[in-house]
Amino acid sequence: MDNINEFANWLFTEGKAAKTIESYVNDVKGFQSYLRGKLEDIPVLSRFSFVQYKEH
């Protein structure tokens, strides 16, 4: 979770709007949650993981 907070802080320092930060953080959390359920099937984070998530 610390990495997500660091990401949110970085977005803030980059001047992103609060709603943009919220949206990006929610996207990352959703992807992270998806990966937790698929880690046995996807041993390495890759482009394939992102494609699978988008299709999900």
Side-chain angles (χ1 to χ4, degrees):
M1 188 65 120
D2 289 332
N3 289 336
I4 292 177
N5 290 333
E6 289 176 26
F7 176 59
N9 288 336
W10 176 77
L11 291 170
F12 179 77
T13 61
E14 290 291 306
K16 303 298 182 197
K19 287 293 185 181
T20 300
I21 294 170
E22 180 182 346
S23 177
Y24 287 7
V25 166
N26 285 336
D27 290 343
V28 170
K29 285 179 180 179
F31 182 59
Q32 190 176 50
S33 176
Y34 171 79
L35 283 180
R36 278 192 202 108
K38 298 290 184 180
L39 284 179
E40 297 84 31
D41 300 334
I42 305 171
V44 178
L45 185 60
S46 66
R47 182 175 186 276
F48 178 74
S49 333
F50 290 106
V51 171
Q52 290 294 99
Y53 177 64
K54 281 179 64 177
E55 290 177 359
H56 167 75

